[in-house]
Amino acid sequence: MREVFCFTMAVSQSSFLGFLVIVLAVFSVNGASDRRTNGGEALRRESDRVLGLPGQPEVKFSHYAGYVRVRQEDEKALFYWFFEAEGGASEKPLVLWLNGGPGCSSIAYGAAQELGPFLVRNDHSNLVLNNFSWNKVANLLFLEAPVGVGFSYTNNSEDLHRLGDGITAEDSHAFLINWFQRFPSLKSHDFYIAGESYAGHYVPQLAELIYDRNKQATKDSYINFKGFMIGNAVINDETDQMGMIEYAWSHAIISDQLYHSINKECNFKSGNQTIHCNSAIRGFLQAYSDIDIYSIYTPVCLSDLARKSSPKLLASPRSFSQHDLWHKLPSGYDPCTQDYTEKYFNREDVQKALHANVTKLSYPYTACSDVIEKWNDSPDSVLPIIKKLVKAGLRVWVYSGDTDGRVPVTSTRYSINSLGLGMKDGWRAWFNKQQVAGWVVDYEGGFTFATIRGAGHQVPVFAPDQSLSLISHFLSGKTLPSSRF
């Protein structure tokens, strides 16, 4: 079904005067800056300013949301939500946050449940102010990509059948080039990318694209990119899968017999699995059926049990990453938060305030997309990209919440060890507020691996204070504290 492409925001007569005053004020304060940019983009930026978001606490920073058309020649529009840093926005770096899936929303998860300033924490109308929001240390940009995720859309239904890692990176890069035209004052800021889960693909791939394109970029297309950070990230199929089995066995989730059966029957290196391997994998998935694989020690959402289907493999059994468990992400201390989030973003008044769903999509807003049915390219490993960018001098950190069974700390350690990097500072505890927050090891070339003690797949949900310390040290390039004081 083709949607009508429209960027026009309807402004009621009662709010038009206020809107006009805002536009005039911005032009008077930032006139010199705006004269260096396209006047239309300045108007678009102001029309994206979020005012009157239902349930929002009062804050002193501005935030913006809306659509950026990817390219003039196609019919794609990606949705973003941007928060200025709290205090000193003009001096602080810019961080792009990406969730994974493939097909899950960075706004429904990252912004609304994890690290944004406004969190959906209950089934009521009010948002909760996040005292550990990452916009305390950075300007914070959330992007829903690719098209078909969240509010991002295309007018050409064929685009939904061409999706994969490559298209996602290309479209996200094009989005950034155009977004910086709308927000030119941020173009000179240090720029970083962060993300979790399948963003272990998205983030390094986009980082490599920016790095390569920057070599021949014009002034308009250059991005001041400095590095990236990924958490509980899918980065190497063989070691990711091997680590899942080790973690489940070492945490008493699967039996000795099942553990030995999987190791005997499954060849994760080749990816070609036998009938006996598939049977063993089904037993592995069944072992997790009554707990949350993404946070093994927290409760499950009981209201979801009635509609929860039995674990089953998708068409291709070569990788756990193609299993529908990707669409059963955790929701933090209240395991039903995802339900609250979807309800909130489906509200017409919320969508109007965020300038979202302007084409009136034919499907409801979901945290993970129901319209993306085919993923065309997903390399077995992004380790070569990571190694390339570390060698290029970019700052690269990988972190792991240690109660996640889906991309567990064992997987990440196996994957990092296969990089073969020289060690700079050995394994040690790191501290936050005089308590052990996790463990960390620094490698040569600016690469760091850190664990977050007691955190599941979505680290900022389970350990918000520690995660804010983590991003703060990453952005400053400082080592994590190695003592209580």
Side-chain angles (χ1 to χ4, degrees):
M1 178 178 179
R2 296 175 65 87
E3 305 285 348
V4 177
F5 199 102
C6 176
F7 281 106
T8 304
M9 181 185 72
V11 181
S12 66
Q13 290 182 349
S14 62
S15 63
F16 178 77
L17 183 58
F19 171 77
L20 183 60
V21 169
I22 291 171
V23 172
L24 292 175
V26 169
F27 270 104
S28 64
V29 174
N30 298 320
S33 173
D34 286 341
R35 281 193 294 273
R36 294 194 296 268
T37 67
N38 182 283
E41 288 300 330
L43 286 170
R44 286 180 185 274
R45 179 177 67 248
E46 283 313 305
S47 69
D48 285 354
R49 187 186 291 267
V50 178
L51 301 169
L53 180 65
Q56 178 196 310
E58 185 176 346
V59 292
K60 294 182 179 180
F61 56 83
S62 297
H63 56 116
Y64 304 78
Y67 288 96
V68 171
R69 189 162 183 171
V70 177
R71 301 173 195 84
Q72 290 301 316
E73 65 271 18
D74 63 25
E75 300 180 81
K76 299 177 180 179
L78 297 184
F79 186 79
Y80 78 92
W81 198 356
F82 167 64
F83 300 90
E84 289 182 348
E86 184 179 339
S90 60
E91 291 84 33
K92 292 179 179 177
L94 172 65
V95 173
L96 169 68
W97 173 268
L98 301 173
N99 279 89
C104 294
S105 165
S106 302
I107 287 172
Y109 287 109
Q113 297 183 52
E114 299 186 66
L115 54 117
F118 311 134
L119 301 177
V120 179
R121 279 289 182 261
N122 52 54
D123 205 15
H124 306 302
S125 58
N126 288 338
L127 299 173
V128 175
L129 188 64
N130 182 6
N131 293 323
F132 303 100
S133 172
W134 287 13
N135 84 317
K136 291 184 179 297
V137 295
N139 296 284
L140 197 52
L141 174 62
F142 298 91
L143 173 65
E144 292 189 312
V147 292
V149 174
F151 293 121
S152 294
Y153 69 94
T154 175
N155 283 334
N156 183 357
S157 60
E158 290 301 312
D159 288 335
L160 296 175
H161 301 289
R162 304 187 186 108
L163 298 176
D165 283 14
I167 289 290
T168 303
E170 287 285 352
D171 286 356
S172 297
H173 182 264
F175 162 86
L176 286 171
I177 299 300
N178 294 328
W179 188 86
F180 277 118
Q181 292 180 9
R182 194 169 300 182
F183 292 84
S185 64
L186 288 158
K187 191 166 175 53
S188 61
H189 290 223
D190 288 350
F191 175 68
Y192 298 88
I193 313 174
E196 70 188 19
S197 195
Y198 196 79
H201 278 218
Y202 292 163
V203 173
Q205 289 165 342
L206 177 57
E208 181 184 38
L209 194 59
I210 293 172
Y211 174 77
D212 289 342
R213 298 277 172 86
N214 270 351
K215 294 176 182 178
Q216 298 179 333
T218 64
K219 182 179 179 182
D220 289 337
S221 62
Y222 183 84
I223 297 174
N224 191 26
F225 181 55
K226 299 298 182 181
F228 65 87
M229 183 171 74
I230 49 178
N232 292 84
V234 179
I235 51 179
N236 188 59
D237 281 358
E238 179 187 354
T239 47
D240 286 348
Q241 294 158 26
M242 181 171 64
M244 282 181 70
I245 306 306
E246 295 279 353
Y247 187 87
W249 177 77
S250 65
H251 287 72
I253 294 168
I254 62 173
S255 67
D256 292 354
Q257 292 79 10
L258 182 56
Y259 172 72
H260 293 306
S261 177
I262 293 174
N263 285 331
K264 176 183 177 182
E265 301 294 345
C266 298
N267 186 338
F268 295 125
K269 187 172 184 178
S270 71
N272 297 317
Q273 309 301 1
T274 65
I275 294 175
H276 296 296
C277 172
N278 288 340
S279 177
I281 289 174
R282 287 187 178 91
F284 171 89
L285 297 171
Q286 187 62 41
Y288 273 110
S289 62
D290 290 323
I291 65 172
D292 186 351
I293 191 174
Y294 296 92
S295 177
I296 65 172
Y297 297 127
T298 53
V300 297
C301 180
L302 297 179
S303 65
D304 285 342
L305 294 182
R307 59 179 182 268
K308 181 180 178 182
S309 60
S310 300
K312 64 181 185 300
L313 289 172
L314 298 183
S316 171
R318 78 169 178 86
S319 168
F320 284 114
S321 65
Q322 296 182 357
H323 190 269
D324 66 358
L325 281 170
W326 282 120
H327 295 265
K328 296 181 177 66
L329 295 176
S331 300
Y333 302 115
D334 182 341
C336 302
T337 306
Q338 179 179 320
D339 297 343
Y340 311 150
T341 302
E342 291 184 347
K343 182 178 178 180
Y344 183 77
F345 287 116
N346 273 299
R347 287 173 50 175
E348 187 175 347
D349 57 346
V350 172
Q351 293 178 1
K352 183 177 180 181
L354 292 174
H355 321 118
N357 198 16
V358 294
T359 58
K360 303 301 178 186
L361 297 167
S362 60
Y363 47 85
Y365 185 93
T366 55
C368 292
S369 177
D370 291 328
V371 299
I372 296 177
E373 299 179 350
K374 184 179 181 183
W375 200 254
N376 292 293
D377 61 294
S378 177
D380 293 341
S381 178
V382 295
L383 291 180
I385 297 176
I386 293 174
K387 197 165 187 176
K388 168 185 173 180
L389 297 181
V390 169
K391 186 177 180 180
L394 293 171
R395 188 180 307 153
V396 180
W397 284 26
V398 176
Y399 66 89
S400 181
D402 62 13
T403 64
D404 174 27
R406 185 56 188 85
V407 191
V409 63
T410 46
S411 295
T412 304
R413 293 179 76 173
Y414 279 134
S415 298
I416 290 173
N417 288 341
S418 66
L419 283 171
L421 300 174
M423 189 177 298
K424 181 181 178 183
D425 292 314
W427 192 264
R428 65 194 185 280
W430 70 277
F431 292 81
N432 182 63
K433 294 185 176 178
Q434 302 183 38
Q435 297 292 334
V436 173
W439 287 265
V440 62
V441 56
D442 296 313
Y443 295 86
E444 294 176 355
F447 183 92
T448 292
F449 170 61
T451 73
I452 295 83
R453 186 163 68 110
H457 192 71
Q458 292 175 295
V459 166
V461 172
F462 301 99
D465 198 348
Q466 297 93 313
S467 78
L468 180 57
S469 178
L470 183 76
I471 185 66
S472 299
H473 285 84
F474 166 73
L475 294 175
S476 66
K478 297 179 180 178
T479 58
L480 291 166
S482 57
S483 67
R484 296 186 188 277
F485 306 99

